[in-house]
């Protein structure tokens, strides 16, 4: 049987691909799919929708805390055991949410579910462990594309689940999918440990090592800024389409389905470009598209009345750019510290989490003209990301010139 990187068989790699896509899908369920069930949850627990929204915030905090520990720990004890443990904990948390009728206990079980879901950060480390070269880059493109599609269809899926199974339905579906992921991980993964000598076992030392590298942080910031453009739109899209344009929940779901098509287009473009240009050039192309989307959105907001088309057209351009830029930046970042892939994934995910949350919150605080604010944000974020990419390129050229000038130097 053919073996690839680290002795991984072709069968294991194929199983790992389906496992990684299932993990991407699972990452959507605890947050996006549950949103249409807010009124039902508020009625069940005799609370307000604002109280139920607290469970989303606690869930996000729980994931952020868990992934900071899980990534470095996986560099020491291996990925498989942590993934199996995390999935088991998340299933117990989801089951507790279904069984309880007390709001305080519901919040506690949501935190337990979030702590287990922190193991999803291992997806990037698994890509680094099991794949290499163009195959690794194509898989990251596929994961970003799939994630965008899953997020886009999640409101429609959540509406359907709420109508057929009630608010408990999303938790039951999560448990079922988690069981599939757990079985796949048990069958297809080996609990390999780092083989590179000098692997850092101290959490703080490992984080200091990766976060002290300018290129590593810059690549993750480029990925984070590209993600923030997409995430900000997702966060404020209900305010634009349902509040301002008075679209129904079903019409809003259909709008996001159209938005999801941009991820497919962006994924195809990213796959084609990855075979023809370098990852640095891919980032320039993707970020330039985001910049173009920002300028287009500003032009449309100034010259036309707010309408679905005036928002969707620039967002389709932005999403294509995000799908092209993010995988290239992530691959560059993850390649810098292969012996600390878990720590690298956790650090990068935290950077993305913080940037996405803070930027989307700032945009939502200016409700007077969300469309213009979104456009200005795209221009600013893509501009800073392009500057970072240019700085990395100049540093690389300087280092290369120095190495050529002193071939025998110490």
């Amino acid at each position: 049987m053919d073996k690839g990187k680290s002795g991984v068989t072709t069968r294991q790699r194929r199983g790992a691909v389906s496992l990684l896509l299932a993990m991407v899908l699972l990452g959507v369920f605890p947050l996006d799919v549950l949103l249409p069930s807010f009124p039902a949850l508020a009625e069940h627990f005799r609370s307000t929708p604002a109280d139920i929204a607290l469970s989303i915030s606690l869930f996000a905090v729980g994931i952020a805390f868990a992934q900071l520990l899980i990534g470095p720990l996986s560099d020491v004890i291996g990925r498989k055991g942590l993934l199996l443990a995390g999935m088991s904990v998340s299933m117990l948390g989801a089951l507790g949410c279904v069984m309880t009728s007390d709001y305080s206990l519901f919040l506690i079980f949501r935190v337990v579910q979030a702590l287990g879901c922190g193991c999803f950060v291992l997806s990037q480390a698994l890509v680094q462990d099991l794949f290499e070269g163009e195959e690794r880059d194509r898989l990251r493109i596929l994961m970003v594309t799939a994630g965008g599609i899953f997020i886009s269809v999640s409101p429609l899926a959540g509406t359907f689940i709420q109508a057929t199974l009630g608010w408990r339905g999303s938790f039951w579906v999560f448990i079922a999918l988690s069981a599939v992921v757990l079985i796949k991980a048990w069958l297809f993964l080996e609990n390999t440990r780092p083989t590179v000598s000098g692997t850092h076992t101290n959490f703080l030392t490992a984080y200091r090592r990766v976060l002290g590298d300018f290129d590593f942080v810059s690549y993750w910031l480029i990925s984070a800024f590209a993600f923030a453009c997409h995430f900000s739109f997702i966060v404020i899209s209900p305010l634009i389409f349902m509040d301002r344009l008075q679209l129904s929940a079903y019409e809003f779901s259909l709008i996001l389905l159209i938005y999801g098509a941009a991820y497919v287009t962006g994924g195809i473009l990213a796959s084609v470009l990855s075979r023809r240009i370098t990852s640095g050039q891919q980032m320039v192309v993707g970020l330039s598209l985001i910049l173009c989307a920002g300028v287009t959105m500003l032009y449309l907001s100034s010259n036309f009345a707010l309408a679905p088309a005036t928002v969707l057209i620039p967002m389709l351009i932005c999403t294509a750019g995000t799908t092209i830029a993010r995988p290239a930046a992530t691959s560059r970042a993850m390649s810098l510290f292969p012996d600390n892939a878990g720590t690298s994934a956790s650090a990068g995910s935290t950077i993305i989490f913080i940037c996405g949350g803070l930027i989307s919150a700032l945009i939502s605080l200016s409700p007077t003209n969300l469309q213009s604010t979104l456009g200005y944000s795209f221009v600013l974020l893509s501009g800073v990301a392009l500057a970072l990419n240019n700085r990395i390129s100049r540093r690389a050229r300087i280092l290369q010139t120095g190495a050529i000038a002193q071939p025998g130097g110490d």
Side-chain angles (χ1 to χ4, degrees), residues 47-329:
S47 59
T48 65
D51 290 332
I52 301 303
L54 176 62
S55 70
I56 299 293
S57 301
L58 288 177
F59 190 91
V61 172
I63 283 186
F65 176 77
Q67 69 185 16
L68 286 174
L69 300 177
I70 289 174
L73 191 59
S74 74
D75 287 334
V76 180
I77 67 174
R79 323 283 187 214
K80 181 177 180 178
L82 277 175
L83 182 56
L84 295 178
M87 295 313 306
S88 300
V89 170
S90 67
M91 292 168 67
L92 288 175
L95 184 62
C97 290
V98 169
M99 302 302 294
T100 187
S101 57
D102 180 78
Y103 175 66
S104 297
L105 285 177
F106 175 76
L107 291 181
I108 292 173
F109 282 122
R110 280 289 278 172
V111 172
V112 172
Q113 184 187 15
L115 293 176
C117 288
C119 68
F120 294 152
V121 75
L122 296 177
S123 61
Q124 289 295 342
L126 289 172
V127 173
Q128 195 70 25
D129 292 342
L130 301 177
F131 303 89
E132 57 187 358
E134 291 184 1
E135 189 178 22
R136 178 191 294 160
D137 295 338
R138 288 196 299 269
L139 182 54
R140 286 201 168 105
I141 292 170
L142 177 62
M143 290 170 64
V144 170
T145 304
I149 294 172
F150 293 153
I151 290 173
S152 300
V153 303
S154 60
L156 190 60
T159 301
F160 175 78
I161 292 174
Q162 173 61 36
T164 55
L165 301 175
W167 67 266
R168 293 181 176 87
S170 63
F171 290 100
W172 286 121
V173 173
F174 175 86
I175 292 170
L177 289 173
S178 297
V180 172
V181 170
L182 191 148
I183 294 171
K184 279 184 172 292
W186 180 68
L187 290 175
F188 293 109
L189 294 182
E190 295 180 4
N191 201 39
T192 55
R193 289 174 172 79
T195 57
V196 180
S197 60
T199 297
H200 295 254
T201 57
N202 181 276
F203 283 18
L204 293 179
T205 302
Y207 276 120
R208 190 181 302 117
R209 182 191 183 206
V210 299
L211 293 176
D213 186 272
F214 175 84
D215 289 359
F216 177 87
V217 175
S218 296
Y219 283 133
W220 275 117
L221 282 174
I222 291 171
S223 181
F225 290 161
F227 170 79
C229 294
H230 146 78
F231 186 70
S232 298
F233 170 73
I234 291 295
V235 170
I236 69 170
S237 58
L239 299 177
I240 293 176
F241 293 113
M242 300 179 72
D243 184 36
R244 301 289 174 82
L245 295 175
Q246 295 296 303
L247 298 184
S248 67
Y250 178 71
E251 290 170 328
F252 172 60
S253 301
L254 294 181
I255 288 287
L256 287 189
L257 283 180
I258 299 172
Y259 177 65
Y263 268 96
V264 177
T265 304
I268 295 172
L269 287 174
S271 298
V272 172
L273 290 174
S274 67
R275 298 184 180 95
R276 288 170 168 77
I277 61 177
T278 66
S279 56
Q281 292 170 329
Q282 290 175 57
M283 284 185 279
V284 172
V285 171
L287 295 172
S288 298
L289 284 174
I290 297 175
L291 178 61
C292 177
V295 173
T296 303
M297 184 167 284
L298 289 173
Y299 173 79
L300 293 175
S301 65
S302 300
N303 294 277
F304 297 91
L306 180 64
T310 63
V311 179
L312 269 182
I313 289 173
M315 281 313 306
L316 296 180
I317 300 172
C318 174
T319 301
T322 298
T323 313
I324 293 170
R326 278 192 66 202

Side-chain angles (χ1 to χ4, degrees), residues 394-410:
R394 284 195 289 109
R395 279 167 50 88
R397 286 195 297 269
I398 292 172
L399 291 174
Q400 186 178 19
T401 302
I404 294 174
Q406 297 178 334
D410 293 332

Side-chain angles (χ1 to χ4, degrees), residues 363-381:
I363 292 175
S364 64
L365 288 176
S366 54
T368 53
N369 197 335
L370 290 171
Q371 190 178 7
S372 294
T373 305
L374 206 59
Y376 283 120
S377 299
F378 291 176
V379 172
L380 177 62
L381 292 174

Side-chain angles (χ1 to χ4, degrees), residues 22-37:
M23 291 172 67
V24 172
L25 174 60
L26 267 183
V28 172
F29 262 82
L31 295 172
D32 302 88
V33 176
L34 192 63
L35 295 179
S37 298

